[in-house]
Amino acid sequence: ESLNMASMAEELDVDQELFDSACDNRWIKLRLDYVQNILLIIINFFPEQFKNCQPTITSFQSVLGNGPVLIRLREITESKIHFIPKPVGLNPRLLRDTGTGI
């Protein structure tokens, strides 16, 4: 991987005294994987708009232009927001029908 994990951890304001390097790398990789999975969901929900996108912020930024990509995606995906996990969408577990009518 070409990512510099130490600089990413610093940019994300990870307290280096709390985590060792291996833990930092796992923490960052989990979050990167999480965002990639969300971007794949968005590509599948909106194939016409994002047909040429890869599941990376940079790829989506090339389509959406400069600015806060995740905020723009939240606006664009409003019609499916309950099916898309946070940080773009909402937590779908909160929307499950329990059969109680509530």
Side-chain angles (χ1 to χ4, degrees):
E1 240 178 310
S2 63
L3 300 173
N4 182 333
M5 294 296 183
S7 66
M8 287 182 67
E10 186 175 307
E11 185 175 324
L12 293 171
D13 197 26
V14 175
D15 186 350
Q16 293 299 310
E17 293 179 359
L18 293 177
F19 302 101
D20 64 7
S21 182
C23 187
D24 287 344
N25 290 342
R26 282 191 304 271
W27 185 88
I28 291 169
K29 182 171 177 1
L30 283 171
R31 272 124 194 101
L32 288 172
D33 290 347
Y34 183 68
V35 171
Q36 278 186 326
N37 287 334
I38 290 168
L39 296 176
L40 279 171
I41 290 168
I42 292 170
I43 290 168
N44 288 322
F45 276 147
F46 300 90
E48 289 302 314
Q49 189 164 2
F50 301 113
K51 64 183 169 194
N52 296 322
C53 280
Q54 298 299 312
T56 67
I57 296 292
T58 305
S59 181
F60 273 78
Q61 197 165 39
S62 70
V63 171
L64 299 174
N66 289 333
V69 172
L70 296 179
I71 292 171
R72 282 282 291 130
L73 286 174
R74 189 176 182 117
E75 294 166 0
I76 291 167
T77 61
E78 186 176 11
S79 66
K80 305 239 186 233
I81 205 154
H82 294 291
F83 301 104
I84 301 170
K86 293 177 182 178
V88 174
L90 304 174
N91 188 340
R93 289 179 289 187
L94 298 175
L95 299 175
R96 285 196 184 136
D97 183 5
T98 61
T100 61
I102 297 175

